[in-house]
Coordinates of all heavy atoms in Angstrom, one line a residue:
A20 N 88.6 117.8 96.3 CA 88.2 116.7 95.4 C 89.4 116.2 94.6 O 90.1 116.9 94.2 CB 87.2 117.2 94.4
Q33 N 93.4 124.6 82.4 CA 93.1 126.1 82.8 C 92.1 126.6 81.9 O 91.8 126.4 80.8 CB 94.4 126.9 82.8 CG 94.3 128.3 83.4 CD 94.2 128.1 85.0 OE1 94.4 127.2 85.6 NE2 93.8 129.3 85.5
Q35 N 90.3 129.4 79.7 CA 90.7 130.2 78.6 C 89.6 131.1 78.0 O 88.4 130.6 77.9 CB 91.4 129.3 77.6 CG 92.5 128.4 77.9 CD 93.1 127.6 76.9 OE1 93.2 127.7 75.7 NE2 93.5 126.3 77.3
I46 N 84.0 121.6 84.6 CA 83.6 121.3 86.0 C 82.8 122.5 86.6 O 81.8 122.3 87.2 CB 84.9 121.2 86.8 CG1 85.5 119.8 86.3 CG2 84.5 121.1 88.3 CD1 86.8 119.6 87.2
A49 N 79.2 122.2 85.4 CA 78.5 121.3 86.1 C 78.1 121.6 87.6 O 76.9 121.6 88.0 CB 79.3 120.0 86.2
G63 N 97.6 122.0 89.8 CA 98.6 122.4 88.8 C 97.7 122.3 87.4 O 96.7 121.7 87.4
F78 N 87.2 123.8 96.0 CA 86.0 124.9 95.7 C 85.2 124.9 97.0 O 85.3 124.1 98.0 CB 85.3 124.4 94.6 CG 84.7 123.2 94.6 CD1 83.3 123.0 94.9 CD2 85.3 121.9 94.1 CE1 82.8 121.6 94.9 CE2 84.7 120.7 94.1 CZ 83.5 120.6 94.6
D82 N 75.7 126.4 101.9 CA 75.3 125.4 103.1 C 74.3 124.4 102.8 O 74.4 123.3 103.5 CB 74.6 126.5 104.1 CG 75.6 127.5 104.8 OD1 76.8 127.2 104.8 OD2 75.2 128.5 105.3
E88 N 78.6 112.6 99.1 CA 78.4 111.4 98.1 C 77.4 111.8 97.1 O 77.6 111.4 95.9 CB 78.0 110.3 98.9 CG 79.2 109.5 99.6 CD 80.3 108.9 98.6 OE1 79.8 108.4 97.6 OE2 81.4 109.2 98.9
K91 N 78.9 114.1 94.6 CA 79.8 113.4 93.7 C 79.0 112.7 92.6 O 79.4 112.7 91.5 CB 80.7 112.4 94.4 CG 81.8 111.7 93.5 CD 82.6 110.5 94.5 CE 81.8 109.3 94.7 NZ 82.7 108.3 95.3
I106 N 85.4 113.3 97.3 CA 85.2 114.7 97.7 C 85.2 114.6 99.2 O 84.4 113.8 99.9 CB 83.8 115.3 97.2 CG1 83.7 115.2 95.7 CG2 83.8 116.7 97.7 CD1 82.4 115.7 95.0
A109 N 87.5 120.0 103.6 CA 88.9 120.5 103.9 C 88.9 121.7 104.8 O 87.9 122.4 105.0 CB 89.5 120.9 102.5
P133 N 101.2 102.6 68.8 CA 100.1 102.2 69.7 C 98.9 102.0 68.7 O 98.9 102.5 67.7 CB 99.7 103.4 70.7 CG 101.1 104.1 70.7 CD 101.7 103.9 69.4
Y144 N 107.8 106.2 70.9 CA 109.2 106.5 70.7 C 110.0 105.4 70.0 O 109.6 104.2 70.5 CB 109.9 107.0 72.0 CG 109.8 108.4 72.4 CD1 108.9 108.8 73.4 CD2 110.6 109.4 71.8 CE1 108.6 110.1 73.7 CE2 110.4 110.7 72.1 CZ 109.5 111.2 73.1 OH 109.3 112.6 73.4
L152 N 118.7 106.1 79.3 CA 117.6 106.7 79.7 C 117.7 107.0 81.3 O 117.4 108.1 81.8 CB 116.3 106.0 79.4 CG 115.0 106.7 80.0 CD1 114.7 108.1 79.5 CD2 113.8 105.8 79.5
N154 N 120.2 107.1 83.1 CA 121.2 108.1 83.4 C 120.8 109.4 83.1 O 121.1 110.4 83.9 CB 122.6 107.7 82.5 CG 123.2 106.5 83.1 OD1 123.1 106.1 84.1 ND2 124.1 105.9 82.0
A155 N 120.1 109.7 82.1 CA 119.5 111.0 81.7 C 118.5 111.5 82.8 O 118.6 112.6 83.2 CB 118.9 111.0 80.4
F159 N 118.3 115.0 86.2 CA 117.4 116.1 86.5 C 117.1 116.1 88.1 O 116.5 117.1 88.6 CB 116.0 115.7 85.9 CG 115.9 115.9 84.5 CD1 115.8 114.9 83.6 CD2 116.2 117.2 83.9 CE1 115.8 115.1 82.2 CE2 116.2 117.5 82.6 CZ 115.9 116.5 81.7
G161 N 117.4 116.7 92.0 CA 117.9 117.7 92.9 C 117.3 119.1 92.4 O 116.4 119.1 91.7
K170 N 108.1 126.1 78.7 CA 107.5 127.1 77.7 C 107.3 128.4 78.4 O 106.8 128.4 79.5 CB 106.2 126.4 77.1 CG 106.5 125.3 76.1 CD 105.0 124.8 75.7 CE 104.3 125.8 74.8 NZ 103.1 125.2 74.2
T175 N 105.7 133.5 86.2 CA 106.2 132.7 87.5 C 107.4 133.5 88.0 O 108.1 134.2 87.5 CB 106.8 131.3 86.8 OG1 107.1 130.5 88.1 CG2 108.0 131.4 86.0
H176 N 107.2 133.4 89.4 CA 108.1 134.1 90.4 C 109.5 133.5 90.3 O 110.5 134.2 90.5 CB 107.6 134.0 91.8 CG 106.3 134.7 91.9 ND1 106.2 136.0 91.6 CD2 105.1 134.3 92.4 CE1 104.8 136.3 91.8 NE2 104.3 135.4 92.3
I182 N 113.5 118.3 92.1 CA 113.0 117.0 91.6 C 113.5 116.1 92.7 O 114.7 115.9 92.7 CB 113.3 116.7 90.2 CG1 112.5 117.6 89.3 CG2 112.9 115.3 89.9 CD1 112.8 117.4 87.8
T185 N 113.3 110.4 90.2 CA 112.8 109.9 88.8 C 113.0 108.5 88.7 O 113.7 107.8 89.5 CB 113.8 110.6 87.7 OG1 115.2 109.9 88.0 CG2 113.8 112.1 87.9
V188 N 110.5 102.3 84.4 CA 110.0 101.0 84.6 C 109.4 100.5 83.2 O 108.8 101.3 82.5 CB 108.9 100.8 85.6 CG1 108.4 99.4 85.7 CG2 109.4 101.3 86.9
R220 N 118.4 107.7 72.9 CA 118.6 107.2 71.4 C 119.8 107.7 70.8 O 120.1 107.4 69.7 CB 117.4 107.8 70.6 CG 116.0 107.2 71.1 CD 115.0 107.5 70.1 NE 115.1 108.8 69.5 CZ 114.4 109.9 69.9 NH1 113.6 109.7 71.0 NH2 114.4 111.1 69.3
Y249 N 100.4 111.9 82.3 CA 99.3 111.8 83.4 C 99.9 112.5 84.6 O 101.0 112.2 85.1 CB 99.0 110.3 83.7 CG 98.3 109.6 82.5 CD1 99.2 109.0 81.5 CD2 97.0 109.3 82.5 CE1 98.6 108.4 80.5 CE2 96.5 108.5 81.5 CZ 97.4 108.2 80.4 OH 96.9 107.3 79.4
V254 N 100.7 115.2 96.7 CA 101.0 114.8 98.1 C 100.8 115.9 98.9 O 101.5 117.1 98.6 CB 102.4 114.1 98.3 CG1 102.7 113.8 99.7 CG2 102.6 112.9 97.4

Side-chain angles (χ1 to χ4, degrees):
Q33 193 70 9
Q35 301 173 36
I46 293 174
F78 54 94
D82 292 338
E88 278 299 313
K91 183 180 79 168
I106 304 178
Y144 274 100
L152 175 59
N154 289 341
F159 290 117
K170 285 179 71 174
T175 183
H176 298 298
I182 295 186
T185 62
V188 178
R220 298 196 315 270
Y249 295 77
V254 179

